[in-house]
Structures are given as structure tokens and as C-alpha cells.
Amino acid sequence: MNKIIKDSISIIGGAGHVGFPLGLAFGSKKYKVNLIDTNKKNLNKIKSGLPPFYEIGAKKILKKCLKKKVLFFSNDLKTARKSKFIIICIGTPINKKLKPEIKYFLSLFYKLSKIISKNQILIVRSSVYPGVIKKILTILKKNNNNIVYCPERIVQSKALIELPKLPQVISGFDKKSVKEVSKLFKNICNKIIISSIQEAELIKLFSNANRYINFAIANQLYIMCEKYHVDFDRIRKMMKLGYERNLNLPSSGFTAGPCLLKDTMQLSSFYKGKFDLGSAAMKINESMVDLVIEKVKKIKNYQKKTIGILGVAFKAETDDVRDSLSIELIKKLKKRRYKVLYNDVYHKDPKQHEIKVVIKKSDIIIIGAPHKKYENLKFSKNKSVVDIWGFLKKI
Ligand SMILES: NC(=O)c1ccc[n+]([C@@H]2O[C@H](COP(=O)([O-])OP(=O)(O)OC[C@H]3O[C@@H](n4cnc5c(N)ncnc54)[C@H](O)[C@@H]3O)[C@@H](O)[C@H]2O)c1
């Protein structure tokens, strides 16, 4: 039988946005962390001291972990055999019909069931469709029922700042595993909330749906303001002045990325397509791309102009372009044969141009992602600026 090492953690999806910072957080404590990932390129980057994506504070902590020799790297699942804890952080996508695509995710557990032993604890960190954890239990049953669901609720790029601050929801079928995992997470976070599996599944998805719908409220009001030529940002500012109940109204903009829409749609699937508020939020948030195009079409001689997009990441201060509406906008503009240039200060792409080139050569400037570095840029008066975020306004 394999000898289990009790302070060893294997993270499957260890080079990803959730797995990598989590590995650093545990590596900074007393744990040895085995990052298992199919993406060899990103594993090699981490091995050489470079975070594979923008993550605040990661470079420094990675350097320390590498110096302490607490990080291990592999693309072989079998290396998880010796770890007391196996944390699963791989993606849980939805398909073109907006339904959860869990076949690939579940196939991992069939593989794991042939590898793991009864003394190991499996921790699912990926965001799952309600009922999936129970399904995993049936897959693993003969070999292991120590399965614990610990959803991740960090905001992307700020994992290392948020992990110690956010309460960690922990749920499982077996009390002993829940206790051991609570002890494990106590090393990296302040507060533990114990819940049932179904509660944890819903807490995670409700949290993202709540944010997605909240952004849709702002976008809906923005769309209304556009129709009646009223300044949404002025109204929003006045609404909030001395009136606490309006403080949760976010700014308008592209609501996108790999989590919010996906998790709202996971919830919609769970509720058999009757999540009306979720569907309405999707319709509104996704319509912001067409609204930008309509704004462009109101500019005189727009067909002959060059359009410059500043920011292609899905939101400010990240290099992540997954499910970015700014990218969707570029695709739609190019399909209409408009001349488009773009820049992103975080996402490096060989086809992009320098900020100054984009500004100089473009007649129309669109803010695609409101990165702070664009905040104080000056545009000459002959340029039209489309800024649905209210980012450049000094109200
Ligand atoms: N990104 C976020 O901020 C965030 C926040 C909360 C929850 N989540 C959830 O966490 C999960 C992961 O999201 P992510 O953004 O980190 O995705 P990601 O794509 O950045 O990371 C997933 C990693 O898993 C690896 N991988 C895929 N299949 C594998 C396999 N069979 N074996 C080993 N490695 C494999 C990929 O190469 C990738 O590096 C999703 O369920 C997501 O919804 C993400």
C-alpha cells in the first residue's frame, strides 16, 4: 500500500486561476504542494518562477515557495497517490446551449477512483452544478467516500489577497473529513462555515448569480438612460449621495468572464430553465456589445473611421480574456469590415498595438476594459470616445 504523506497536497488543475494561487497559499504554510496540470507550458512557467497569468502578489510568494522547495510539478494524475489531500480545480464549462458540460469533469473522478485509497481526502474546489458532488460520490464509492466540497469565491487576480479574508464554506458526507479539511483551510483563511453539500453548491452559484444580476440592473438602467439621452453616471452618483440603500448599484459596463454568466446558467439548468431573472440578466448584459455598436453607428461617417479599443480583458486589472465581451465586440466589428486596432496593458497579444499607436491612428476610441493605466490618457477633440463604463468621466 502507498504511504500517505499527511502534509502533502496534490492540486489537480494546479496551474489554473484557482489552483495556482491556492497552491501558493498552502505552500507558504507547512505544506508540500504537488501541482498537477495537463498544461505543461504553464507548469514550466511556474517552475521557472513566472506566474502563468496576472495574479497580484504571486511572483514574490512563488519565489519563496521555490526557494523552500515545497512545490512539485507533474502532469501525471498518479502522483496524487501519496498526498493526504487531493484538491480538484479544473474547469466546469457550459456548452453552446448554455447547459453544464460535466462529462469531462466527471471522467477525472473515474480515473481517480482507480488511483486513490481510503486514507485520502478529495476536495472539490471547482464550481459545480447542484447534485454533481453526489454523483462523484457514487463514482468513488467503492474506494473512497471522503469527498468534501469547498467552493472558491475569490475575485480573479486577487486570490492571494482574498483567501485569508473570505470565510470558507466546507461541506461533506463524512464528519471526520469535514473536520480534517476545516483544519487544513484554517491555515490559509480566517473563518470556516460548515454547510450541507447542497447548501454549498447553491451558495457558490447564488453568489455569482447575485453579482451577475446586480450588474444587469446597472446595465438595464444605462440602456434606458441612453434611449432618453440622460447621463447614467450623473444619476447614479446623485442616487448614492447620502442614500445608503443605493450604494449597491454598480457602474455599467461589459459583464463577462469565465464565471458569472456560466454559473448563472448552471443555476438556470438546475432550475429547469425557469430562472427568469438569470435569463433576463443574460439578455441585458450580453446586449451591451450591440449597444456599443449602435453608439458607433451614430458617429458621422463611422464606416470610414478607424476604431481603437483600449482593454480586451473581460474586466479591469486582469489579463484574462476568457468570455470577454470586448473580444466579442472586436469580432463583431471586424465582421462588419471596420478597421479595428486594440491594446491591452495586461493581456499580451502579438496582434495588438501600443497604446499611443491605437490613440494616434484611431478616430473612435472605445473603452473595452477600464484598466487604471488608461485613466489619465488624453484624447484630442477630433476623436469620438465610447465609454459605457463611465470610466473617463470626472463627475
Ligand atoms: N477563475 C476564477 O476566478 C474562479 C473563481 C471561483 C471559482 N472558479 C471555478 O474554478 C474552476 C476552475 O476555474 P479556473 O478559472 O481556475 O480555470 P483554469 O482554466 O484557469 O484552470 C483549470 C486548469 O485545469 C487544468 N486541467 C484541465 N483538465 C485537467 C486534467 N484532467 N488534469 C489536470 N489538469 C487539468 C487546465 O490545464 C487549467 O490549467 C471552475 O469550475 C471555475 O468555475 C473560478
Side-chain angles (χ1 to χ4, degrees):
M1 205 179 85
N2 262 315
K3 193 174 176 312
I4 304 292
I5 305 168
K6 75 174 189 332
D7 60 356
S8 162
I9 302 172
S10 279
I11 301 185
I12 304 173
H17 290 82
V18 166
F20 168 62
L22 186 67
L24 292 186
F26 281 120
S28 312
K29 303 292 172 185
K30 58 181 179 182
Y31 294 95
K32 299 204 168 37
V33 182
N34 178 25
L35 301 175
I36 303 176
D37 207 294
T38 43
N39 188 331
K40 283 190 199 166
K41 195 174 148 209
N42 281 354
L43 278 184
N44 284 334
K45 260 191 168 177
I46 300 171
K47 228 188 265 186
S48 72
L50 292 173
F53 41 79
Y54 179 71
E55 183 67 50
I56 300 169
K59 206 169 175 185
K60 211 167 145 193
I61 303 177
L62 174 60
K63 208 173 153 194
K64 279 188 191 163
C65 288
L66 289 172
K67 205 172 165 199
K68 276 203 302 174
K69 296 192 170 37
V70 291
L71 294 184
F72 301 85
F73 306 88
S74 175
N75 53 10
D76 182 1
L77 264 192
K78 289 192 204 91
T79 58
R81 263 187 182 142
K82 288 185 178 164
S83 299
K84 172 76 191 171
F85 303 99
I86 302 175
I87 309 183
I88 292 97
C89 302
I90 71 168
T92 44
I94 50 173
N95 61 25
K96 280 189 182 140
K97 290 181 180 159
L98 306 173
K99 299 256 176 354
E101 188 66 72
I102 54 164
K103 246 191 187 161
Y104 177 75
F105 184 71
L106 291 181
S107 73
L108 175 73
F109 295 90
Y110 285 105
K111 286 181 197 149
L112 278 172
S113 71
K114 294 185 184 120
I115 294 168
I116 53 166
S117 70
K118 286 197 164 59
N119 302 329
Q120 291 177 284
I121 297 182
L122 253 80
I123 302 169
V124 177
R125 192 90 173 132
S126 308
S127 310
V128 297
Y129 172 85
V132 164
I133 302 295
K134 224 173 176 179
K135 248 186 207 149
I136 296 172
L137 181 71
T138 57
I139 296 170
L140 298 172
K141 217 169 169 183
K142 281 181 226 144
N143 302 313
N144 189 311
N145 60 5
N146 309 327
I147 172 147
V148 178
Y149 181 45
C150 298
E152 173 64 273
R153 293 190 296 166
I154 51 136
V155 94
Q156 202 156 305
S157 313
K158 291 190 181 167
L160 293 160
I161 299 166
E162 292 201 345
L163 276 170
K165 292 185 191 163
L166 297 183
Q168 178 60 52
V169 177
I170 297 184
S171 62
F173 299 103
D174 147 69
K175 269 192 184 158
K176 192 168 164 247
S177 312
V178 169
K179 205 170 158 192
E180 287 199 55
V181 173
S182 301
K183 216 169 129 195
L184 171 72
F185 272 93
K186 260 287 185 194
N187 286 286
I188 61 162
C189 69
N190 250 335
K191 196 172 160 53
I192 304 289
I193 299 171
I194 307 288
S195 77
S196 73
I197 295 273
Q198 195 183 42
E199 283 168 343
E201 287 171 332
L202 290 176
I203 288 169
K204 170 64 206 172
L205 299 187
F206 280 2
S207 300
N208 276 354
N210 181 23
R211 262 169 78 69
Y212 192 66
I213 292 165
N214 195 230
F215 286 126
I217 295 173
N219 286 338
Q220 172 80 89
L221 298 180
Y222 182 88
I223 294 166
M224 233 185 256
C225 284
E226 281 294 296
K227 180 162 170 62
Y228 294 101
H229 311 289
V230 193
D231 187 327
F232 171 72
D233 300 295
R234 262 177 65 81
I235 294 185
R236 177 169 168 259
K237 188 181 174 196
M238 290 187 278
M239 280 171 72
K240 289 180 161 205
L241 264 181
Y243 197 73
E244 280 193 3
R245 283 184 287 275
N246 281 339
L247 292 183
N248 68 343
L249 180 65
S251 61
S252 50
F254 285 152
T255 309
C259 291
L260 297 190
L261 169 63
K262 178 199 65 145
D263 288 350
T264 306
M265 289 305 110
Q266 292 212 80
L267 205 50
S268 175
S269 237
F270 168 67
Y271 202 45
K272 312 272 183 266
K274 285 186 255 162
F275 184 19
D276 297 338
L277 207 47
S279 309
M282 180 181 82
K283 201 171 152 203
I284 293 160
N285 288 333
E286 296 282 298
S287 77
M288 294 301 276
V289 171
D290 291 334
L291 181 131
V292 169
I293 294 174
E294 286 313 307
K295 279 171 94 67
V296 168
K297 281 160 97 178
K298 284 183 189 145
I299 297 164
K300 208 173 158 195
N301 291 331
Y302 67 90
Q303 296 100 326
K304 292 181 191 148
K305 312 243 163 166
T306 299
I307 302 176
I309 301 195
L310 295 177
V312 298
F314 80 85
K315 65 170 184 178
E317 318 316 323
T318 180
D319 59 354
D320 195 348
V321 294
R322 290 179 295 171
D323 298 316
S324 158
L325 285 181
S326 185
I327 299 268
E328 184 63 25
L329 172 69
I330 294 174
K331 277 189 201 151
K332 284 195 170 181
L333 290 172
K334 284 190 171 170
K335 212 171 164 190
R336 287 171 166 78
R337 302 190 180 283
Y338 296 160
K339 189 158 184 241
V340 182
L341 303 175
Y342 62 88
N343 168 273
D344 193 286
V345 284
Y346 292 96
H347 177 73
K348 298 296 167 217
D349 163 350
K351 285 189 190 148
Q352 70 169 304
H353 290 77
E354 303 256 327
I355 304 179
K356 55 180 185 217
V357 176
V358 172
I359 296 176
K360 194 172 168 210
K361 291 196 170 169
S362 305
D363 312 289
I364 303 170
I365 310 270
I366 300 175
I367 301 297
H371 298 315
K372 277 199 183 79
K373 282 194 182 149
Y374 300 139
E375 204 170 5
N376 295 316
L377 294 174
K378 299 266 178 287
F379 308 111
S380 55
K381 283 203 175 116
N382 61 345
K383 312 228 180 243
S384 308
V385 179
V386 178
D387 171 21
I388 55 162
W389 308 79
F391 169 66
L392 300 168
K393 273 192 197 141
K394 308 272 181 264
I395 307 175

